[in-house]
């Protein structure tokens, strides 16, 4: 049975991460900080962690950054992941009075690009050598 639970770092610890996702097990401290910086949830099927994610709200009021860490099981639950993510983002926008929610996507990650655009995000531009791995990433945003 598919359920949502408040994110706990133990969920990330139990995950079998999807290959070539943006996060690795070495990013545990960062993921824990993301989870503490704003609303965050884990999508579960009984004890199986499908994905975890949330919205970091640390920069300033009205602004949030979406994060999602997929497990190897995420592709088996496309509808649940999409529906729950869309609802979560919209609820956060409404309940937290967010005027901007953004996400960065690696330039070559076609699956994540299709997914973020389906969620209503608009590509704003390409950021060269962005992040710790110096990869080109697109900036996407939903603005109120």
């Amino acid at each position: 049975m598919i359920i949502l639970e408040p994110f706990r770092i133990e969920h990330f610890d139990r995950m079998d991460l999807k290959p070539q996702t943006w996060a690795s097990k070495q990013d545990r401290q960062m993921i824990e900080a993301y989870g503490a910086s704003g609303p965050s949830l884990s999508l579960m099927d009984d004890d199986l962690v499908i994905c975890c994610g949330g919205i970091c709200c640390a920069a300033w009021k009205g602004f949030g950054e979406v994060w999602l860490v997929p497990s190897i099981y995420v592709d088996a639950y496309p509808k649940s992941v999409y529906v729950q993510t869309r609802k979560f983002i919209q609820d956060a926008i409404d309940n937290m009075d967010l005027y901007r929610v953004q996400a960065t996507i690696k330039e070559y990650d076609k699956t994540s690009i299709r997914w973020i655009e389906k969620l209503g995000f608009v590509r704003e531009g390409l950021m060269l050598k962005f992040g710790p791995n110096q990869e080109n990433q697109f900036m996407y945003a939903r603005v109120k």
Side-chain angles (χ1 to χ4, degrees), residues 69-83:
V69 179
S71 76
I72 60 173
Y73 307 106
V74 73
D75 293 334
Y77 299 87
K79 185 174 181 182
S80 294
V81 172
Y82 171 74
V83 168

Side-chain angles (χ1 to χ4, degrees), residues 53-78:
I55 298 181
C56 294
C57 299
W60 52 82
K61 186 173 173 39
F63 168 84
E65 180 129 12
V66 174
W67 64 276
L68 184 127
V69 179
S71 76
I72 60 173
Y73 307 106
V74 73
D75 293 334
Y77 299 87

Side-chain angles (χ1 to χ4, degrees), residues 92-106:
I93 289 170
D94 294 341
N95 297 329
M96 300 173 65
D97 199 26
L98 299 176
Y99 62 85
R100 179 184 175 84
V101 179
Q102 69 182 35
T104 58
I105 306 291
K106 292 178 184 176

